[in-house]
Amino acid sequence: MSALAPTLQAFFTDRLIRQRQASPHTIAAYRDAFKLLLAFTCHRTGSTPSRLRIEELTAPLIGDFLNHLETERGNSVRTRNARLAAIHSLFRYAALRHPDHADSIQRVLAIPPKRFDRAIVTYLTEPEIDALLQAPDRNTWTGRRDRTMLAVAIQTGLRASELTTLTISDVHLGTGAHISCHGKGRKQRITPLTSGTVTMLRTWLAERAASPPIQCFLPAAAVSSAAMPWNDASQNTPAQPHKHVPH
């Protein structure tokens, strides 16, 4: 067995999991990057993954791998730079364990990320926000949920993953109403809510109160019993149950 295999395994178990306490998403992204790199290197050198050596992962080969990602796999520059960041992280770890390969490791670490044009992040105007909130059908359960979810997303700027995993305990509608979110990078964020969003959330949470899951915006399949018709969608009041009149 070469020195690369135990170094790569220790990088995951010691560096990422124990020292950095990386999230499962980060670990999975690094795993995929190295799977692609090992497959490319084995195809190029004819070696098996267990026999690859650190000195075979040269800077020119890493450069060819990055070009392969863009030209043959059709990856974006952002993805290419993310793969390079994973490789850099591994080689910085390997530099401490294998100083005898310091020269080749330094050459890989010198590979810069690729520059790319960044899109300007714009904002929604008031008419656009109104049109977006009016789009869901408030006569349906999913429409009322989607309208509330859109209002929260517009005000708080939560990511889609953060929004869908938001729990009832994260929503505070008393004095100083706000939403607490434990999001990307294990960062805790507190975002205040306006009175209009508070009213909308109170109405929504009252409707889904009987549903057992703790998610604030749970899937429709989880709450088939919560889809109750409304008399007047503009009034935000539940309809009275229909009474059967015998003939």
Side-chain angles (χ1 to χ4, degrees):
M1 186 191 309
S2 69
L4 178 62
T7 301
L8 187 57
Q9 180 173 335
F11 173 73
F12 279 94
T13 58
D14 182 56
R15 180 63 170 171
L16 290 184
I17 297 177
R18 188 181 66 83
Q19 296 180 13
R20 300 295 298 274
Q21 296 182 350
S23 69
H25 297 291
T26 299
I27 295 174
Y30 278 41
R31 175 205 63 199
D32 294 342
F34 295 129
K35 284 174 62 178
L36 292 171
L37 175 60
L38 292 177
F40 177 84
T41 306
C42 290
H43 177 74
R44 177 67 65 87
T45 63
S47 300
T48 60
S50 61
R51 293 182 178 274
L52 283 177
R53 298 169 298 171
I54 294 178
E55 56 267 28
E56 291 184 87
L57 297 177
T58 62
L61 184 139
I62 299 297
D64 291 342
F65 168 68
L66 297 174
N67 291 332
H68 162 77
L69 293 179
E70 289 189 82
T71 58
E72 297 187 32
R73 292 186 59 86
N75 291 161
S76 65
V77 176
R78 289 180 183 271
T79 301
R80 177 228 189 243
N81 288 344
R83 304 301 191 201
L84 177 59
I87 295 171
H88 279 172
S89 183
L90 170 65
F91 274 71
R92 281 192 294 268
Y93 179 76
L96 301 174
R97 298 169 62 93
H98 302 285
D100 48 317
H101 298 297
D103 181 65
S104 59
I105 289 175
Q106 185 59 38
R107 292 176 184 274
V108 172
L109 292 176
I111 300 175
K114 192 172 184 178
R115 295 176 178 270
F116 60 94
D117 295 330
R118 298 180 181 272
I120 298 177
V121 179
T122 59
Y123 59 89
L124 295 175
T125 63
E126 289 293 336
E128 290 173 334
I129 292 175
D130 292 339
L132 191 61
L133 294 180
Q134 293 301 322
D137 183 5
R138 284 181 284 173
N139 291 313
T140 65
W141 179 88
T142 54
R144 295 188 292 276
R145 179 204 60 186
D146 293 348
R147 182 172 182 264
T148 307
M149 187 162 53
L150 286 171
V152 172
I154 290 170
Q155 185 178 348
T156 62
L158 294 179
R159 296 177 175 85
S161 59
E162 296 170 344
L163 195 63
T164 54
T165 57
L166 199 67
T167 65
I168 296 177
S169 61
D170 295 328
V171 180
H172 307 271
L173 302 180
T175 303
H178 64 275
I179 282 181
S180 174
C181 173
H182 189 75
K184 185 177 180 180
R186 298 190 291 272
K187 295 179 181 179
Q188 190 76 17
R189 290 186 291 142
I190 304 294
T191 308
L193 299 173
T194 62
S195 58
T197 306
V198 169
T199 301
M200 198 178 300
L201 272 169
R202 280 186 176 142
T203 303
W204 165 248
L205 293 178
E207 179 179 2
R208 57 120 16 250
S211 305
I214 62 174
Q215 281 82 7
C216 186
F217 303 111
L218 56 162
V223 283
S224 57
S225 62
M228 299 180 297
W230 291 35
N231 282 332
D232 186 354
S234 63
Q235 297 298 321
N236 290 340
T237 55
Q240 297 297 322
H242 177 70
K243 295 182 179 180
H244 176 70
V245 180
H247 294 288

